[in-house]
Amino acid sequence: MCNETERGYLVGFVVAVLLWSVASAQIRYSISEEVNEGTVVGNIAKDLGLDKNTLKERRYRIVSTNADPLFHVNQNDGILYVNRKIDREEVCAQSSTCLINLKTVLENPLEVHYVEVEVLDINDHSPSFPEEEKALEIFESVLPGARFQLKASRDPDSGHFSVQQYKLSQNDHFRLEVKDKGEDGKIPVLIVQKSLDRETAGSHSLVLTALDGGKPPKSGEMNILVKVLDVNDNTPVFSKDVYSVTLSENAPVGTTVVQVNATDLDEGQNGEVYYSFGNSVSNKLFTLFDINPSTGEIIVKGLIDYEQKDKYEIEIQASDKGLAPLTTEKSVIIKIVDVNDNAPEIEVTSFSSSIPEDSRPGTTVALISVNDLDSGLNGKVICSIGEDVPFALSPSLKDKMYSLVTKSPLDREKQSQYELTITAKDAGQPPLSSEKTISVVVADVNDNSPEFLLSPYTFYVTEGNEPGAPVFSVKAFDRDENDNALISYHILRDGSQENKLASFLNINSENGDILALKSFDFETLKTFQFQIVATDSGTPSLSSNVTVNVFILDQNDNAPVILYPVSSNGSAEGVEEIPRNVNAGHLVTKVRAYDADIGYNGWLLFSLQEVTDHSLFGLDRYTGQIRTLRSFTETDEAEHKLVILVKDNGNVSLSATATVIVKLVEPKEAFAASDVKSSTKDEEGNDVTFYLMITLGSVSVLFLISIIVLIAMQCSKSTDYTSKYLQEPNYDGTLCHSIQYRSGDKRYMLVGPRMSIGSTIVPGSHANTLVLPDRRRTSGESHMWLGSYSWCYSLSMVLIRFFFLMS
């Protein structure tokens, strides 16, 4: 145990010796601030007596925790260098002596050497004041000798390079005194040496300069603005000795009479002037005038009347706003000028607000009186009314009285109310005038008959209409009003032949809706006309009538009828025998059919609905002709059944069917049969020739009659009526119809089966079409000529079709 204790003491002794052997040396250098990087501070190796090898082997270095040290040592030569520029004021602030301690070490064994570097100050800063400008406020009443301490100037440099003295710019009112506060520096004090007068000089500008001890010295400045505060030592002074103005009577409230002005040489509240009426002003003046305390404007507050008083004298006070205000008074004389201040007054003493439109010129509408409170020319009044109205003012025997009378006939339908402006003007200078507007209503008289919107009316009604339902409507209006314009309608029923269809119509007497009591059939009735009477409810009542033309429009309500083969037991069926040796194109037979409708509804198309052999027979879709397509062979059957469908072109087409049985016979049998048929056809041919002669003769006679009628109508210049579809009003439902259209520079008339109004004509197809010469006629002439021509062709086509059916 003792051995261990002795061993511990021995180790402690060795450590103490080693620590003692770590030499510590103190070296001091000095260098000026702001030297360049790399400047040599001193040779540490030389000063410590160390050779270069020792420095390198024992790793001589500076121990520093700063990431950017101020100094560094070269291990090769032991020289201490400046690592970066040094700002003494940044490193040592305001210290009088700036020392930087560096700790350097040598390893193996450890040696510590302390190096002190003193940074010497240079005069690199100028004195500066805490503020560039300083404002001082000093009352003008302050006595000489008053002291005002200022803030000292600061210089970051130290010692002799800090602030050493102050200077004040040359002036007559202030001087400078400097206090030395030791470490706190020198403090400038501003002293008043001459009395101040704000009215003479309201402010003083001074410059305070601080100088340091450098050679040459550096300086800093501060501007001092001394504002002299006012003392209320001046009385307000008016700009004029006498204020005298004129004011027109009845000046509007708020009119400025005069503006007084006073000034005070003081400032602030001591120089701020306010105005008021003097203590001697009567209460009456307070109701007529007012004064703006800030601007000194005297304004009109009440009604100024020259007849009550023609002159006012008002005392005005001007006072400042000092603690002990000073006041000055001045009189203002206001002379009132008489003017034409009363406009004429208009009064309607007797007035009829409504006058019938059939009143005669000169009828009195109202009595008017005018008055003016002024006298002389100012009270002389002239009354007038506008010239663009059917009224006039007639002077009365009594002065300033007028009668408002009519000067021309009235018409309520042109203008039902008049706003009459009556103007009264006096003879004053300048003249005054007034206006009064009265409203005169023109009462209605039943002087207008009802008028229909159209005359005549033309309506198109599709056949098959629902009985009792409205089919069309007429409308009339009456320029009158109230009961005089209340219209009722009725159908004229005079029992004439032309008006017999009116019994199947009824009309709503209130709105003009016309109801059909029966359903129309185009095949029975094509067109008719009747008259409607519109009657107002005036006393006495007036009425007018209008002609209504009604055209019935066709619908596809008739199915095709098979004429051949002849129908039997509800079906059309025929048998045709042809020789077996006929060639292709041989006419087997022709299916004939008829449709009572017109236009597309009556145009028929034929088609094969059923056939035993499509290669043998063909059907012409327009004529219904059945022809062979090829020669027959021995293998062909002896009997063939053809079912033909006939349908019209209506929107919803109707159809019928016919059956043709074609039998193939040997040529001898066919020859015998043909002899029998030829004899029959000879007999029929004689009948056909007879019918054809009658037809051609009838067409010629009808055509001649049409030409004569056309010439007569041209000479008489009678008014024609033609529908927009070129159909005659007396068209009797023939199978023929004509439609005119234009294609390029030519006009065409299509003559063919009857067509509905909605049918479409393709200009490219000229079948059954007449090319009309392009002679420009008036609308009436073209319609008249085409109507007659259409009528003629209609009749002719009836006869031709009759002949066709008979054949």
Side-chain angles (χ1 to χ4, degrees):
M1 195 65 179
C2 290
N3 293 334
E4 291 180 0
T5 304
E6 293 176 356
R7 188 180 296 112
Y9 288 149
L10 179 61
V11 171
F13 178 78
V14 172
V15 172
V17 170
L18 289 175
L19 291 175
W20 180 260
S21 65
V22 178
S24 64
Q26 185 75 23
I27 302 174
R28 184 168 182 171
Y29 302 104
S30 63
I31 188 172
S32 297
E33 65 173 328
E34 302 293 341
V35 295
N36 295 328
E37 179 183 346
T39 301
V40 176
V41 179
N43 193 331
I44 298 176
K46 181 179 178 181
D47 294 337
L48 291 177
L50 301 174
D51 56 21
K52 297 181 179 179
N53 293 330
T54 302
L55 293 176
K56 190 170 184 180
E57 291 174 358
R58 297 180 63 183
R59 296 178 59 195
Y60 183 68
R61 70 184 187 277
I62 298 174
V63 179
S64 175
T65 58
N66 193 349
D68 187 16
L70 297 176
F71 304 95
H72 75 277
V73 65
N74 192 328
Q75 289 185 357
N76 295 325
D77 54 11
I79 297 176
L80 183 65
Y81 295 93
V82 175
N83 196 42
R84 59 183 175 87
K85 277 191 177 183
I86 302 174
D87 185 1
R88 179 186 174 281
E89 286 73 32
E90 178 185 349
V91 175
C92 299
Q94 296 294 328
S95 299
S96 57
T97 302
C98 182
L99 293 176
I100 299 175
N101 293 315
L102 301 177
K103 183 179 181 181
T104 64
V105 296
L106 288 169
E107 297 179 354
N108 300 321
L110 180 64
E111 291 185 19
V112 179
H113 299 278
Y114 293 95
V115 178
E116 287 186 351
V117 180
E118 181 181 5
V119 181
L120 303 178
D121 188 28
I122 64 173
N123 192 20
D124 58 343
H125 293 86
S126 299
S128 63
F129 288 92
E131 49 191 3
E132 293 182 358
E133 292 186 358
K134 172 68 176 177
L136 292 177
E137 293 183 348
I138 304 175
F139 282 99
E140 63 178 330
S141 60
V142 71
L143 298 176
R147 301 167 63 87
F148 300 91
Q149 183 173 313
L150 305 176
K151 290 184 179 180
S153 174
R154 299 300 178 187
D155 193 325
D157 297 325
S158 62
H160 187 68
F161 295 135
S162 62
V163 177
Q164 299 299 315
Q165 61 176 323
Y166 292 92
K167 290 183 179 180
L168 185 65
S169 59
Q170 182 65 36
N171 68 95
D172 296 333
H173 294 83
F174 299 93
R175 64 182 178 85
L176 186 66
E177 182 179 294
V178 179
K179 287 183 179 181
D180 192 348
K181 293 287 187 176
E183 292 182 358
D184 293 335
K186 296 178 172 56
I187 307 298
V189 178
L190 188 67
I191 301 175
V192 179
Q193 66 178 4
K194 184 179 178 181
S195 297
L196 303 176
D197 185 4
R198 190 204 63 80
E199 286 73 31
T200 303
S203 64
H204 300 273
S205 294
L206 306 175
V207 178
L208 179 63
T209 304
L211 300 171
D212 62 17
K215 291 185 179 180
K218 293 187 176 183
S219 63
E221 293 182 349
M222 178 176 67
N223 295 321
I224 302 174
L225 178 62
V226 179
K227 183 178 181 183
V228 182
L229 301 181
D230 184 48
V231 175
N232 192 17
D233 54 352
N234 292 280
T235 302
V237 177
F238 282 95
S239 58
K240 291 184 179 180
D241 293 335
V242 177
Y243 287 94
S244 180
V245 295
T246 59
L247 176 66
S248 298
E249 65 170 327
N250 295 326
V253 174
T255 300
T256 299
V257 180
V258 66
Q259 182 177 8
V260 297
N261 184 40
T263 57
D264 193 316
L265 295 178
D266 296 323
E267 71 169 0
Q269 290 188 343
N270 296 331
E272 187 176 345
V273 178
Y274 70 94
Y275 305 90
S276 62
F277 289 135
N279 296 327
S280 61
V281 174
S282 64
N283 293 331
K284 175 64 176 177
L285 286 177
F286 280 104
T287 62
L288 298 177
F289 301 98
D290 198 0
I291 187 169
N292 189 314
S294 301
T295 63
E297 288 181 322
I298 299 176
I299 57 177
V300 176
K301 184 179 179 181
L303 179 63
I304 308 299
D305 191 357
Y306 174 83
E307 287 71 26
Q308 293 183 2
K309 192 171 184 179
D310 61 353
K311 181 180 178 181
Y312 296 93
E313 185 172 353
I314 307 174
E315 292 292 330
I316 305 298
Q317 288 184 347
S319 304
D320 60 30
K321 296 183 179 180
L323 294 177
L326 302 178
T327 302
T328 304
E329 290 189 352
K330 184 69 65 175
S331 294
V332 176
I333 299 173
I334 302 174
K335 297 179 180 179
I336 308 303
V337 178
D338 186 26
V339 295
N340 182 22
D341 57 343
N342 293 289
E345 297 177 357
I346 302 173
E347 182 182 359
V348 180
T349 57
S350 180
F351 175 55
S352 298
S353 59
S354 179
I355 181 171
E357 61 178 321
D358 59 351
S359 299
R360 295 182 179 180
T363 301
T364 299
V365 179
L367 295 179
I368 299 168
S369 63
V370 293
N371 187 34
D372 195 319
L373 297 178
D374 296 323
S375 59
L377 292 177
N378 293 338
K380 185 174 180 60
V381 180
I382 300 173
C383 204
S384 62
I385 194 174
E387 297 181 356
D388 57 343
V389 293
F391 298 92
L393 287 175
S394 176
S396 177
L397 294 177
K398 187 178 179 180
D399 191 24
K400 298 183 180 181
M401 288 290 295
Y402 295 88
S403 297
L404 178 65
V405 298
T406 58
K407 69 176 182 181
S408 60
L410 304 176
D411 187 355
R412 190 206 64 83
E413 286 68 40
K414 291 183 178 179
Q415 188 166 348
S416 61
Q417 184 173 344
Y418 293 89
E419 299 294 329
L420 303 179
T421 301
I422 300 169
T423 303
K425 181 191 288 187
D426 61 26
Q429 291 298 327
L432 297 179
S433 63
S434 59
E435 294 181 347
K436 189 175 186 65
T437 300
I438 61 174
S439 180
V440 178
V441 178
V442 180
D444 185 43
V445 174
N446 192 23
D447 56 351
N448 290 279
S449 301
E451 298 179 24
F452 284 93
L453 298 178
L454 295 174
S455 182
Y457 277 95
T458 301
F459 296 105
Y460 298 90
V461 181
T462 304
E463 66 172 329
N465 57 292
E466 182 181 353
V471 288
F472 45 81
S473 178
V474 297
K475 189 68 176 178
F477 67 94
D478 197 312
R479 299 180 185 275
D480 297 320
E481 65 177 358
N482 300 329
D483 288 345
N484 296 332
L486 186 61
I487 298 175
S488 62
Y489 304 89
H490 70 273
I491 298 176
L492 183 62
R493 308 181 192 275
D494 55 3
S496 65
Q497 186 67 19
E498 296 179 353
N499 226 359
K500 63 180 181 178
L501 290 175
S503 60
F504 297 103
L505 302 174
N506 200 358
I507 188 170
N508 187 318
S509 61
E510 296 181 357
N511 57 27
D513 289 344
I514 299 174
L515 295 80
L517 303 179
K518 60 173 285 186
S519 180
F520 296 112
D521 184 11
F522 176 82
E523 286 70 34
T524 304
L525 178 66
K526 302 296 185 295
T527 180
F528 65 93
Q529 67 176 205
F530 61 97
Q531 289 189 325
I532 295 176
V533 180
T535 305
D536 62 27
S537 301
T539 304
S541 63
L542 300 177
S543 64
S544 61
N545 58 0
V546 68
T547 299
V548 179
N549 295 290
V550 182
F551 292 90
I552 310 302
L553 302 181
D554 183 41
Q555 277 192 328
N556 191 21
D557 57 348
N558 290 282
V561 177
I562 305 297
L563 299 179
Y564 180 82
V566 179
S567 299
S568 176
N569 297 326
S571 62
E573 185 174 340
V575 179
E576 293 292 337
E577 295 181 352
I578 61 173
R580 189 179 276 275
N581 62 349
V582 296
N583 296 324
H586 176 76
L587 176 62
V588 178
T589 186
K590 179 180 180 180
V591 178
R592 296 180 178 88
Y594 165 74
D595 195 315
D597 294 320
I598 67 167
Y600 280 109
N601 296 331
W603 287 3
L604 302 180
L605 295 176
F606 301 83
S607 62
L608 277 173
Q609 190 177 24
E610 182 181 340
V611 62
T612 55
D613 190 346
H614 288 280
S615 65
L616 281 176
F617 302 100
L619 175 66
D620 189 304
R621 65 177 304 187
Y622 299 108
T623 63
Q625 293 180 348
I626 302 174
R627 294 181 182 272
T628 59
L629 296 176
R630 61 176 176 82
S631 299
F632 294 101
T633 63
E634 293 180 358
T635 59
D636 291 329
E637 296 180 2
E639 183 174 317
H640 298 272
K641 180 181 179 181
L642 284 72
V643 179
I644 292 90
L645 176 67
V646 184
K647 65 177 182 179
D648 57 27
N649 280 285
N651 290 331
V652 179
S653 62
L654 304 177
S655 63
T657 59
T659 303
V660 176
I661 306 297
V662 180
K663 295 182 178 182
L664 304 182
V665 299
E666 296 302 324
K668 293 181 180 180
E669 297 177 5
F671 180 77
S674 64
D675 289 341
V676 176
K677 288 183 179 181
S678 63
S679 63
T680 304
K681 288 183 179 180
D682 289 340
E683 294 177 359
E684 291 179 355
N686 293 331
D687 294 338
V688 169
T689 303
F690 175 73
Y691 293 142
L692 180 60
M693 292 175 62
I694 293 176
T695 301
L696 294 176
S698 301
V699 170
S700 301
V701 172
L702 291 174
F703 184 77
L704 182 60
I705 292 173
S706 299
I707 298 299
I708 294 173
V709 171
L710 176 62
I711 295 174
M713 292 174 70
Q714 280 290 97
C715 295
S716 62
K717 300 293 183 179
S718 62
T719 303
D720 68 326
Y721 175 79
T722 307
S723 75
K724 64 179 179 178
Y725 302 104
L726 301 178
Q727 189 171 359
E728 283 292 313
N730 297 323
Y731 180 61
D732 58 356
T734 60
L735 301 176
C736 189
H737 188 72
S738 61
I739 291 181
Q740 180 191 5
Y741 64 90
R742 177 180 294 277
S743 177
D745 58 350
K746 293 184 179 181
R747 290 187 299 153
Y748 299 94
M749 173 177 284
L750 177 64
V751 180
R754 295 173 300 169
M755 295 180 296
S756 64
I757 296 306
S759 300
T760 303
I761 304 301
V762 181
S765 176
H766 299 326
N768 298 331
T769 305
L770 296 178
V771 180
L772 302 182
D774 189 14
R775 290 177 294 183
R776 306 294 175 147
R777 296 185 178 89
T778 63
S779 176
E781 293 175 345
S782 299
H783 288 181
M784 183 189 304
W785 190 85
L786 291 174
S788 300
Y789 202 89
S790 173
W791 178 74
C792 169
Y793 264 90
S794 298
L795 293 179
S796 65
M797 291 305 297
V798 170
L799 296 177
I800 292 172
R801 187 154 187 176
F802 174 74
F803 166 74
F804 170 75
L805 295 177
M806 293 297 296
S807 64

